[in-house]
Short mmCIF file of all heavy atoms in Angstrom, two decimals:
data_model
loop_
_atom_site.label_atom_id
_atom_site.label_comp_id
_atom_site.label_asym_id
_atom_site.label_seq_id
_atom_site.Cartn_x
_atom_site.Cartn_y
_atom_site.Cartn_z
N GLY A 1 7.94 -2.76 2.24
CA GLY A 1 7.20 -2.86 3.50
C GLY A 1 5.79 -3.38 3.36
O GLY A 1 5.04 -3.39 4.33
N VAL A 2 5.42 -3.83 2.17
CA VAL A 2 4.07 -4.36 1.95
C VAL A 2 4.14 -5.88 1.97
O VAL A 2 5.00 -6.49 1.33
CB VAL A 2 3.49 -3.86 0.60
CG1 VAL A 2 2.16 -4.54 0.29
CG2 VAL A 2 3.34 -2.35 0.60
N ASP A 3 3.24 -6.50 2.71
CA ASP A 3 3.14 -7.96 2.73
C ASP A 3 2.52 -8.42 1.41
O ASP A 3 1.45 -7.94 1.02
CB ASP A 3 2.26 -8.38 3.91
CG ASP A 3 2.09 -9.88 4.03
OD1 ASP A 3 2.73 -10.64 3.26
OD2 ASP A 3 1.29 -10.30 4.88
N ALA A 4 3.19 -9.33 0.73
CA ALA A 4 2.70 -9.82 -0.57
C ALA A 4 1.29 -10.37 -0.48
O ALA A 4 0.53 -10.30 -1.44
CB ALA A 4 3.65 -10.88 -1.12
N GLN A 5 0.91 -10.91 0.70
CA GLN A 5 -0.43 -11.47 0.87
C GLN A 5 -1.52 -10.41 0.84
O GLN A 5 -2.68 -10.72 0.58
CB GLN A 5 -0.51 -12.26 2.18
CG GLN A 5 0.48 -13.40 2.28
CD GLN A 5 0.31 -14.41 1.17
OE1 GLN A 5 -0.80 -14.80 0.84
NE2 GLN A 5 1.41 -14.85 0.58
N SER A 6 -1.15 -9.15 1.07
CA SER A 6 -2.16 -8.07 1.07
C SER A 6 -2.40 -7.49 -0.31
O SER A 6 -3.32 -6.71 -0.50
CB SER A 6 -1.76 -6.95 2.04
OG SER A 6 -0.83 -6.06 1.43
N VAL A 7 -1.57 -7.87 -1.29
CA VAL A 7 -1.66 -7.29 -2.63
C VAL A 7 -2.72 -7.99 -3.46
O VAL A 7 -2.76 -9.22 -3.52
CB VAL A 7 -0.29 -7.34 -3.34
CG1 VAL A 7 -0.39 -6.80 -4.75
CG2 VAL A 7 0.75 -6.57 -2.54
N ARG A 8 -3.58 -7.20 -4.09
CA ARG A 8 -4.61 -7.72 -5.00
C ARG A 8 -4.41 -7.07 -6.36
O ARG A 8 -4.23 -5.86 -6.45
CB ARG A 8 -6.01 -7.40 -4.46
CG ARG A 8 -6.30 -8.07 -3.14
CD ARG A 8 -7.58 -7.60 -2.48
NE ARG A 8 -7.74 -6.15 -2.35
CZ ARG A 8 -7.14 -5.38 -1.45
NH1 ARG A 8 -6.31 -5.89 -0.60
NH2 ARG A 8 -7.38 -4.08 -1.41
N ILE A 9 -4.48 -7.89 -7.40
CA ILE A 9 -4.30 -7.39 -8.76
C ILE A 9 -5.47 -7.86 -9.60
O ILE A 9 -5.79 -9.05 -9.63
CB ILE A 9 -3.00 -7.93 -9.39
CG1 ILE A 9 -1.80 -7.62 -8.50
CG2 ILE A 9 -2.80 -7.35 -10.78
CD1 ILE A 9 -0.55 -8.36 -8.90
N VAL A 10 -6.11 -6.92 -10.28
CA VAL A 10 -7.21 -7.25 -11.19
C VAL A 10 -6.90 -6.59 -12.52
O VAL A 10 -6.47 -5.42 -12.57
CB VAL A 10 -8.57 -6.75 -10.63
CG1 VAL A 10 -9.69 -7.00 -11.62
CG2 VAL A 10 -8.87 -7.40 -9.29
N ALA A 11 -7.11 -7.33 -13.60
CA ALA A 11 -6.81 -6.80 -14.93
C ALA A 11 -7.96 -7.04 -15.89
O ALA A 11 -8.64 -8.06 -15.81
CB ALA A 11 -5.55 -7.45 -15.48
N THR A 12 -8.17 -6.07 -16.76
CA THR A 12 -9.04 -6.24 -17.92
C THR A 12 -8.14 -6.05 -19.13
O THR A 12 -6.93 -5.87 -18.98
CB THR A 12 -10.18 -5.21 -17.93
OG1 THR A 12 -9.64 -3.90 -18.10
CG2 THR A 12 -11.01 -5.28 -16.66
N GLU A 13 -8.72 -6.04 -20.31
CA GLU A 13 -7.88 -5.91 -21.50
C GLU A 13 -7.16 -4.57 -21.60
O GLU A 13 -6.14 -4.46 -22.24
CB GLU A 13 -8.70 -6.18 -22.77
CG GLU A 13 -9.84 -5.23 -23.01
CD GLU A 13 -11.13 -5.64 -22.33
OE1 GLU A 13 -11.16 -6.65 -21.61
OE2 GLU A 13 -12.12 -4.94 -22.54
N ARG A 14 -7.63 -3.52 -20.93
CA ARG A 14 -7.01 -2.20 -21.02
C ARG A 14 -6.76 -1.51 -19.69
O ARG A 14 -6.36 -0.36 -19.65
CB ARG A 14 -7.87 -1.27 -21.88
CG ARG A 14 -7.77 -1.45 -23.37
CD ARG A 14 -6.37 -1.05 -23.82
NE ARG A 14 -6.26 -1.08 -25.25
CZ ARG A 14 -6.11 -0.02 -26.01
NH1 ARG A 14 -6.05 1.18 -25.49
NH2 ARG A 14 -6.00 -0.15 -27.32
N LEU A 15 -6.98 -2.21 -18.57
CA LEU A 15 -6.83 -1.59 -17.26
C LEU A 15 -6.25 -2.59 -16.26
O LEU A 15 -6.66 -3.74 -16.23
CB LEU A 15 -8.18 -1.08 -16.75
CG LEU A 15 -8.18 -0.38 -15.40
CD1 LEU A 15 -7.45 0.95 -15.49
CD2 LEU A 15 -9.61 -0.16 -14.92
N LEU A 16 -5.31 -2.10 -15.46
CA LEU A 16 -4.71 -2.90 -14.41
C LEU A 16 -4.93 -2.16 -13.10
O LEU A 16 -4.67 -0.96 -13.01
CB LEU A 16 -3.21 -3.08 -14.67
CG LEU A 16 -2.42 -3.88 -13.65
CD1 LEU A 16 -2.85 -5.34 -13.66
CD2 LEU A 16 -0.94 -3.77 -13.94
N VAL A 17 -5.43 -2.86 -12.08
CA VAL A 17 -5.65 -2.27 -10.77
C VAL A 17 -4.83 -3.06 -9.75
O VAL A 17 -4.95 -4.28 -9.67
CB VAL A 17 -7.14 -2.29 -10.37
CG1 VAL A 17 -7.33 -1.70 -8.98
CG2 VAL A 17 -7.99 -1.55 -11.39
N ILE A 18 -3.99 -2.33 -9.01
CA ILE A 18 -3.17 -2.92 -7.97
C ILE A 18 -3.59 -2.29 -6.65
O ILE A 18 -3.62 -1.07 -6.53
CB ILE A 18 -1.67 -2.65 -8.21
CG1 ILE A 18 -1.24 -3.14 -9.60
CG2 ILE A 18 -0.82 -3.32 -7.13
CD1 ILE A 18 -0.90 -2.05 -10.53
N ALA A 19 -3.94 -3.12 -5.67
CA ALA A 19 -4.40 -2.60 -4.38
C ALA A 19 -3.77 -3.42 -3.26
O ALA A 19 -3.35 -4.56 -3.47
CB ALA A 19 -5.92 -2.67 -4.30
N GLY A 20 -3.71 -2.83 -2.09
CA GLY A 20 -3.17 -3.52 -0.93
C GLY A 20 -3.12 -2.60 0.26
O GLY A 20 -3.81 -1.58 0.31
N ASP A 21 -2.26 -2.95 1.21
CA ASP A 21 -2.16 -2.17 2.43
C ASP A 21 -0.74 -2.26 2.96
O ASP A 21 -0.16 -3.35 3.01
CB ASP A 21 -3.14 -2.73 3.47
CG ASP A 21 -3.37 -1.80 4.64
OD1 ASP A 21 -2.96 -0.62 4.58
OD2 ASP A 21 -3.96 -2.25 5.64
N ARG A 22 -0.16 -1.11 3.29
CA ARG A 22 1.15 -1.09 3.95
C ARG A 22 0.89 -0.66 5.39
O ARG A 22 0.42 0.45 5.63
CB ARG A 22 2.13 -0.15 3.27
CG ARG A 22 3.49 -0.17 3.96
CD ARG A 22 4.61 0.35 3.14
NE ARG A 22 4.59 1.79 3.04
CZ ARG A 22 5.55 2.50 2.43
NH1 ARG A 22 6.57 1.89 1.87
NH2 ARG A 22 5.46 3.81 2.39
N LYS A 23 1.19 -1.56 6.32
CA LYS A 23 0.90 -1.30 7.73
C LYS A 23 2.17 -0.87 8.46
O LYS A 23 3.25 -1.32 8.14
CB LYS A 23 0.33 -2.55 8.38
CG LYS A 23 -1.00 -2.98 7.77
CD LYS A 23 -1.55 -4.19 8.48
CE LYS A 23 -2.79 -4.70 7.82
NZ LYS A 23 -3.95 -3.94 8.00
N ARG A 24 1.97 -0.02 9.45
CA ARG A 24 3.06 0.37 10.33
C ARG A 24 3.16 -0.69 11.42
O ARG A 24 2.17 -1.00 12.07
CB ARG A 24 2.78 1.74 10.94
CG ARG A 24 3.91 2.27 11.79
CD ARG A 24 3.67 3.69 12.28
NE ARG A 24 3.27 4.62 11.23
CZ ARG A 24 4.10 5.22 10.38
NH1 ARG A 24 5.38 4.95 10.41
NH2 ARG A 24 3.65 6.05 9.46
N PRO A 25 4.35 -1.26 11.62
CA PRO A 25 4.49 -2.26 12.68
C PRO A 25 4.15 -1.66 14.03
O PRO A 25 4.54 -0.53 14.33
CB PRO A 25 5.97 -2.66 12.62
CG PRO A 25 6.48 -2.15 11.32
CD PRO A 25 5.60 -1.01 10.92
N LYS A 26 3.42 -2.43 14.83
CA LYS A 26 3.05 -1.97 16.17
C LYS A 26 4.05 -2.55 17.16
O LYS A 26 4.22 -3.76 17.23
CB LYS A 26 1.64 -2.41 16.51
CG LYS A 26 0.61 -1.71 15.65
CD LYS A 26 -0.79 -2.00 16.13
CE LYS A 26 -1.73 -1.19 15.41
NZ LYS A 26 -2.59 -1.10 14.62
N VAL A 27 4.69 -1.66 17.89
CA VAL A 27 5.65 -2.07 18.90
C VAL A 27 5.28 -1.35 20.19
O VAL A 27 5.17 -0.12 20.22
CB VAL A 27 7.10 -1.72 18.48
CG1 VAL A 27 8.08 -2.09 19.58
CG2 VAL A 27 7.46 -2.40 17.17
N ALA A 28 5.09 -2.13 21.26
CA ALA A 28 4.72 -1.54 22.55
C ALA A 28 5.81 -0.59 23.03
O ALA A 28 7.00 -0.86 22.89
CB ALA A 28 4.50 -2.65 23.57
N GLY A 29 5.40 0.54 23.56
CA GLY A 29 6.32 1.50 24.13
C GLY A 29 6.99 2.43 23.13
O GLY A 29 7.80 3.26 23.50
N ARG A 30 6.64 2.29 21.86
CA ARG A 30 7.26 3.13 20.83
C ARG A 30 6.64 4.52 20.87
O ARG A 30 5.43 4.67 20.79
CB ARG A 30 7.03 2.50 19.46
CG ARG A 30 7.70 3.24 18.33
CD ARG A 30 7.44 2.56 17.01
NE ARG A 30 8.27 1.37 16.89
CZ ARG A 30 8.25 0.56 15.83
NH1 ARG A 30 7.45 0.81 14.83
NH2 ARG A 30 9.03 -0.49 15.79
N VAL A 31 7.48 5.54 20.96
CA VAL A 31 7.04 6.93 20.92
C VAL A 31 7.79 7.59 19.77
O VAL A 31 9.02 7.70 19.80
CB VAL A 31 7.33 7.66 22.26
CG1 VAL A 31 6.90 9.12 22.16
CG2 VAL A 31 6.64 6.97 23.41
N TYR A 32 7.04 8.02 18.77
CA TYR A 32 7.68 8.58 17.59
C TYR A 32 8.16 10.01 17.81
O TYR A 32 7.47 10.83 18.41
CB TYR A 32 6.70 8.57 16.40
CG TYR A 32 6.58 7.22 15.76
CD1 TYR A 32 5.59 6.33 16.16
CD2 TYR A 32 7.45 6.83 14.76
CE1 TYR A 32 5.47 5.09 15.57
CE2 TYR A 32 7.35 5.59 14.18
CZ TYR A 32 6.36 4.72 14.58
OH TYR A 32 6.26 3.49 14.00
N GLN A 33 9.33 10.29 17.30
CA GLN A 33 9.86 11.64 17.24
C GLN A 33 9.54 12.22 15.86
O GLN A 33 9.28 13.41 15.73
CB GLN A 33 11.37 11.63 17.45
CG GLN A 33 12.04 12.95 17.18
CD GLN A 33 13.55 12.84 17.28
OE1 GLN A 33 14.05 12.16 18.16
NE2 GLN A 33 14.24 13.50 16.39
N GLN A 34 9.55 11.37 14.86
CA GLN A 34 9.32 11.80 13.48
C GLN A 34 8.64 10.66 12.74
O GLN A 34 8.99 9.50 12.94
CB GLN A 34 10.68 12.10 12.85
CG GLN A 34 10.60 12.71 11.49
CD GLN A 34 11.98 13.25 11.07
OE1 GLN A 34 12.84 13.51 11.90
NE2 GLN A 34 12.16 13.41 9.79
N MET A 35 7.66 10.99 11.87
CA MET A 35 6.96 9.98 11.08
C MET A 35 6.87 10.46 9.64
O MET A 35 6.11 11.37 9.34
CB MET A 35 5.55 9.73 11.63
CG MET A 35 5.52 9.04 12.96
SD MET A 35 3.84 8.79 13.57
CE MET A 35 3.25 7.55 12.47
N GLU A 36 7.65 9.84 8.76
CA GLU A 36 7.62 10.21 7.35
C GLU A 36 7.23 9.04 6.45
O GLU A 36 6.89 9.26 5.30
CB GLU A 36 9.00 10.73 6.91
CG GLU A 36 9.37 12.04 7.56
CD GLU A 36 10.71 12.57 7.08
OE1 GLU A 36 11.34 11.93 6.22
OE2 GLU A 36 11.10 13.64 7.56
N ILE A 37 7.32 7.84 6.96
CA ILE A 37 7.01 6.66 6.14
C ILE A 37 5.50 6.56 6.02
O ILE A 37 4.79 6.44 7.02
CB ILE A 37 7.61 5.39 6.75
CG1 ILE A 37 9.14 5.52 6.80
CG2 ILE A 37 7.19 4.16 5.97
CD1 ILE A 37 9.84 4.43 7.56
N GLU A 38 5.03 6.63 4.79
CA GLU A 38 3.59 6.59 4.55
C GLU A 38 3.07 5.17 4.62
O GLU A 38 3.69 4.23 4.11
CB GLU A 38 3.29 7.21 3.19
CG GLU A 38 3.67 8.67 3.14
CD GLU A 38 3.69 9.22 1.74
OE1 GLU A 38 3.65 8.46 0.77
OE2 GLU A 38 3.77 10.44 1.62
N THR A 39 1.92 5.02 5.26
CA THR A 39 1.30 3.71 5.40
C THR A 39 -0.18 3.84 5.06
O THR A 39 -0.69 4.93 4.84
CB THR A 39 1.45 3.18 6.85
OG1 THR A 39 0.84 4.12 7.74
CG2 THR A 39 2.90 2.98 7.23
N GLY A 40 -0.84 2.71 5.03
CA GLY A 40 -2.27 2.70 4.80
C GLY A 40 -2.63 1.96 3.53
O GLY A 40 -1.78 1.45 2.80
N PRO A 41 -3.92 1.88 3.26
CA PRO A 41 -4.38 1.20 2.05
C PRO A 41 -3.99 2.01 0.82
O PRO A 41 -3.88 3.23 0.88
CB PRO A 41 -5.90 1.14 2.21
CG PRO A 41 -6.24 2.17 3.21
CD PRO A 41 -5.03 2.40 4.06
N PHE A 42 -3.77 1.32 -0.27
CA PHE A 42 -3.44 1.98 -1.53
C PHE A 42 -4.15 1.30 -2.68
O PHE A 42 -4.55 0.14 -2.58
CB PHE A 42 -1.93 1.99 -1.78
CG PHE A 42 -1.33 0.62 -1.96
CD1 PHE A 42 -1.30 0.01 -3.20
CD2 PHE A 42 -0.83 -0.07 -0.88
CE1 PHE A 42 -0.77 -1.25 -3.37
CE2 PHE A 42 -0.28 -1.34 -1.02
CZ PHE A 42 -0.26 -1.93 -2.28
N GLN A 43 -4.31 2.04 -3.76
CA GLN A 43 -4.84 1.50 -5.01
C GLN A 43 -4.26 2.32 -6.15
O GLN A 43 -4.32 3.54 -6.11
CB GLN A 43 -6.36 1.54 -5.05
CG GLN A 43 -6.90 1.00 -6.37
CD GLN A 43 -8.40 0.90 -6.37
OE1 GLN A 43 -8.98 0.31 -5.48
NE2 GLN A 43 -9.03 1.46 -7.37
N ARG A 44 -3.70 1.65 -7.12
CA ARG A 44 -3.21 2.31 -8.32
C ARG A 44 -3.90 1.69 -9.53
O ARG A 44 -4.05 0.49 -9.62
CB ARG A 44 -1.69 2.13 -8.48
CG ARG A 44 -0.83 2.89 -7.51
CD ARG A 44 -0.94 4.41 -7.60
NE ARG A 44 -0.82 4.98 -8.92
CZ ARG A 44 0.30 5.47 -9.44
NH1 ARG A 44 1.40 5.50 -8.73
NH2 ARG A 44 0.30 5.97 -10.65
N GLN A 45 -4.32 2.55 -10.45
CA GLN A 45 -4.89 2.09 -11.71
C GLN A 45 -3.94 2.47 -12.82
O GLN A 45 -3.47 3.60 -12.87
CB GLN A 45 -6.24 2.75 -11.97
CG GLN A 45 -7.32 2.31 -11.02
CD GLN A 45 -8.67 2.89 -11.41
OE1 GLN A 45 -8.85 3.42 -12.50
NE2 GLN A 45 -9.63 2.79 -10.52
N VAL A 46 -3.67 1.52 -13.70
CA VAL A 46 -2.79 1.77 -14.83
C VAL A 46 -3.59 1.48 -16.09
O VAL A 46 -4.02 0.34 -16.31
CB VAL A 46 -1.53 0.87 -14.78
CG1 VAL A 46 -0.64 1.13 -15.98
CG2 VAL A 46 -0.77 1.08 -13.47
N ARG A 47 -3.81 2.51 -16.88
CA ARG A 47 -4.46 2.32 -18.18
C ARG A 47 -3.41 1.80 -19.15
O ARG A 47 -2.32 2.37 -19.26
CB ARG A 47 -5.05 3.62 -18.68
CG ARG A 47 -6.15 4.09 -17.79
CD ARG A 47 -7.24 4.80 -18.56
NE ARG A 47 -8.25 5.25 -17.63
CZ ARG A 47 -9.31 4.54 -17.28
NH1 ARG A 47 -9.48 3.35 -17.78
NH2 ARG A 47 -10.18 5.03 -16.43
N LEU A 48 -3.73 0.72 -19.82
CA LEU A 48 -2.76 0.05 -20.68
C LEU A 48 -2.88 0.53 -22.12
O LEU A 48 -3.98 0.74 -22.62
CB LEU A 48 -2.97 -1.46 -20.58
CG LEU A 48 -2.90 -2.01 -19.14
CD1 LEU A 48 -3.33 -3.46 -19.11
CD2 LEU A 48 -1.51 -1.82 -18.58
#
């Protein structure tokens, strides 16, 4: 559910940082009964 264009990757010799944003699609008239799919900006750091 993440658009590849929103993904940013930065690397050094011992660290990898992956960041981006997973957005919830906006649909007019949608009323949620249940919301479990997590959305929003993210960042993960991986020590190599």
Side-chain angles (χ1 to χ4, degrees):
V2 174
D3 180 6
Q5 301 301 317
S6 82
V7 177
R8 297 171 310 282
I9 306 168
V10 176
T12 66
E13 62 272 4
R14 281 293 186 111
L15 181 68
L16 179 67
V17 178
I18 304 111
D21 194 12
R22 181 161 76 175
K23 297 182 185 286
R24 185 174 310 280
K26 293 188 172 110
V27 177
R30 184 180 284 180
V31 178
Y32 281 92
Q33 171 186 320
Q34 187 168 339
M35 290 179 71
E36 293 183 1
I37 298 172
E38 296 167 347
T39 59
F42 64 87
Q43 179 174 308
R44 289 297 311 264
Q45 292 186 13
V46 179
R47 296 214 181 270
L48 305 171

